[in-house]
Amino acid sequence: MALILGIETSCDETGIALYDLATGLIAHTLYSQISLHAQYGGVVPELASRDHTKRIIPLIKQCLVDANLDLGMIDAIAYTAGPGLNGALLVGASVANALAFSLNKPVIPIHHLEGHLLSPFLCETKPGLPFIALLVSGGHTQIIAVEAIGKYTLLGDTLDDAAGEAFDKTAKLLGLPYPGGKYLAELAVHGQDIYNLPRPMLHSHDLNFSFSGLKTAVLTLVNKITEQEEMTLPIKQNLAASIEESITDVLVKKVADAVSQTGINTVVVSGGVSANLKLRKKMNKIPNATVFYPPLDLCTDNGAMIALAGAHRFKAAKFDYSFSVYPRYELIKQTRAS
Ligand code: KG4
Ligand code: ZN
C-alpha cells in the first residue's frame, strides 16, 4: 500500500489527486483554465503557467482536506514531466520536487500520455493485459499495443492533425468555442450524417491516421453553404453529425483492424476524445472486443491519472529527486509503423 500525490500541469488544467493502489482514487481536485483561454481561441502558454502557479497550492490543500489526510501520510509525489508547455510543466515539477524534498519522500516523473493510457484503471472494472489502446487527445492519435505497464509498442499514429485537433478545428469553422470537441458532439446529437464527408485513410491498409484533409473538406463545404444560404442551426447540426461520423468511423475501423491483426481483444480508449459518446457506442460494436474507457469526468487532463501512473511506477522501481521537464517527450522509442 502506497499513497501517491499526483500533480498534472502540462497544459490548461491544474489537476491534483491522492491515489492508493490498494484502495484506488481517494480524492481529486481540478481547475480548468478553459474560460481564461477561450477569448484567444487557444491556450496562451504564459497565462497558463501563471494560473497554475496561482491554483496549485490551494488545490493540493483542498485535495488533502477532501481526503481527510495530511501531507505527512504521502509515500511519494508523482508529477507530469512532459509532453506539454514548458512553463506549465515547470510549475508542477517545482512544486512536486520542493514538497518531496521537504517531506523527504521520492518524486516520480510521469509521461502525460502514460497517464491517459492507464486512466481506464480508474474504473471499478479494470482491463486485463495485454490490450490495444487508442489514445485520442488534443495532440495525439495513436494505437498502442500494451503488453505490460511500461511495455508499449506503437502500431499506428497520425500523420498530421490529431483526432481532438480535427474536432476542435472543424468546430471552430462552425463558430463553436474552443476547445470545440464537446460542443460539436452536443450539436451532432440532433443532426444527421447527410454530407458524406471523406473518411481519410480508411482503406490505407495500415493503422495510421490523417485528419487535415477532413478539415479542408469541411472548410470548402462551409464556404459553399454560406455562399447560398444562412448557416442555420439545423445545418450546423447536420454538419456536426457528419464530422463526428467521419472521425469516429476511421478511429473505429483502425482499432477493429488492430484487434484482428494482433489477436488482442481487450481494447482501451483514452484521452479527451474518449469522452465522445458516439465514439463509445461504435467502439462497443467491434466484433470480439471488450472495450474499456476512463470515467467520463476523467477523460480530459486530470491529476488522478498521474497519481495512478505514479502508483504503478512506484511499485516497480526506486526514485530520487529529479528536475527535468520534457516539452517534447516520446512515450515509445520506435519509428512510426508503416
Ligand atoms: O486529453 P486532453 O484533455 O488533452 C490533451 O492531452 O490533448 O484532450 C482534449 C481534447 C480536445 O481536443 C477536446 O476537444 C477533445 O479532447 N474532447 C472531445 C470531447 N471532449 C473533449 N472531442 C470530442 N467529443 C467530446 N465529447
Ligand atoms: Zn492530455
Side-chain angles (χ1 to χ4, degrees), residues 252 276-286 293:
V252 171
N276 187 280
L277 297 181
K278 178 50 82 69
L279 177 67
R280 289 186 177 212
K281 203 170 157 192
K282 288 159 81 167
M283 283 283 170
N284 291 340
K285 289 187 184 149
I286 294 178
Y293 309 88

Side-chain angles (χ1 to χ4, degrees), residues 259-311:
V259 168
S260 55
Q261 282 172 25
T262 60
I264 300 172
N265 48 19
T266 301
V267 173
V268 150
V269 183
S270 59
V273 180
S274 70
N276 187 280
L277 297 181
K278 178 50 82 69
L279 177 67
R280 289 186 177 212
K281 203 170 157 192
K282 288 159 81 167
M283 283 283 170
N284 291 340
K285 289 187 184 149
I286 294 178
N288 306 317
T290 313
V291 192
F292 296 83
Y293 309 88
L296 267 180
D297 61 332
L298 297 174
C299 292
T300 46
D301 295 349
N302 62 81
M305 66 186 198
I306 302 304
L308 175 132

